[in-house]
Amino acid sequence: MATTARDLMQTRVVTVSPDAPLAAVQRLFVDEDIHGAPVVDEEGRVLGVVTSMDVLRAASDERDTAPAEPSYFRYDLDLHGVDWDRAPADLRERIEDTTAADVMTSELVTVAPDAPVAAIARTLRENAVHRVLVVEDGELRGIVSTMDLLGLLESRG
């Protein structure tokens, strides 16, 4: 029997609300050791996905002398830690006023629970993303990440 999204997906999915401040989102990423999460409303509908790169881009955009590339910003201020006290006060304020909904990607990349592994891999590659939401009847059932696919390859080694 072919391996499907249902077999691979992580069912314990960490989500964030659309009104979550970016600083709280980044703290959650650090605490949970993740790099992205679905943004879910009060009714449980998935509105989008926010990633650590979204947080970095937003912080870089909010910084007065933002570098051209957001990836360099992480050397100026450690966004991977939970201590934002070293950041300038005005930057901290602007980041607290920016929410997950402000920076999330609203185009969802999804697969059905019965999607075969090849279709999942193709969807990830074609959309240049590291995670795909597993959705059934409009509800989030889980997530399959590139790490899940690598684990499958490793186990078949």
Side-chain angles (χ1 to χ4, degrees):
M1 182 173 221
T3 303
T4 65
R6 188 181 319 280
D7 302 320
L8 285 179
M9 69 184 184
Q10 302 297 315
T11 56
R12 183 190 160 272
V13 180
V14 176
T15 62
V16 298
S17 72
D19 59 348
L22 282 194
V25 171
Q26 182 60 27
R27 279 187 216 102
L28 177 71
F29 288 174
V30 170
D31 291 346
E32 295 292 331
D33 195 25
I34 58 176
H35 299 283
V39 179
V40 179
D41 69 12
E42 292 173 359
E43 288 81 40
R45 290 184 310 243
V46 182
L47 304 175
V49 174
V50 63
T51 68
S52 54
M53 280 307 297
D54 295 326
V55 174
L56 284 170
R57 279 188 199 100
S60 182
D61 289 347
E62 289 298 332
R63 190 163 180 242
D64 290 335
T65 57
E69 288 295 319
S71 59
Y72 296 116
F73 184 66
R74 61 185 98 170
Y75 300 116
D76 297 332
L77 176 64
D78 183 13
L79 296 178
H80 292 92
V82 294
D83 183 10
W84 283 67
D85 291 340
R86 295 181 318 152
D90 64 326
L91 173 61
R92 286 195 316 260
E93 265 179 44
R94 290 192 310 259
I95 292 298
E96 285 294 334
D97 290 342
T98 304
T99 66
D102 294 331
V103 301
M104 72 181 185
T105 301
S106 56
E107 294 86 29
L108 300 176
V109 179
T110 66
V111 296
D114 61 349
V117 169
I120 297 166
R122 186 173 32 262
T123 300
L124 289 167
R125 185 178 48 77
E126 288 175 352
N127 290 281
V129 295
H130 295 282
R131 66 197 57 76
V132 63
L133 305 178
V134 181
V135 177
E136 183 176 42
D137 299 325
E139 289 187 37
L140 180 65
R141 300 289 185 209
I143 290 182
V144 177
S145 72
T146 52
M147 297 306 283
D148 297 321
L149 289 178
L150 288 172
L152 177 65
L153 284 173
E154 182 182 34
S155 71
R156 292 184 175 177

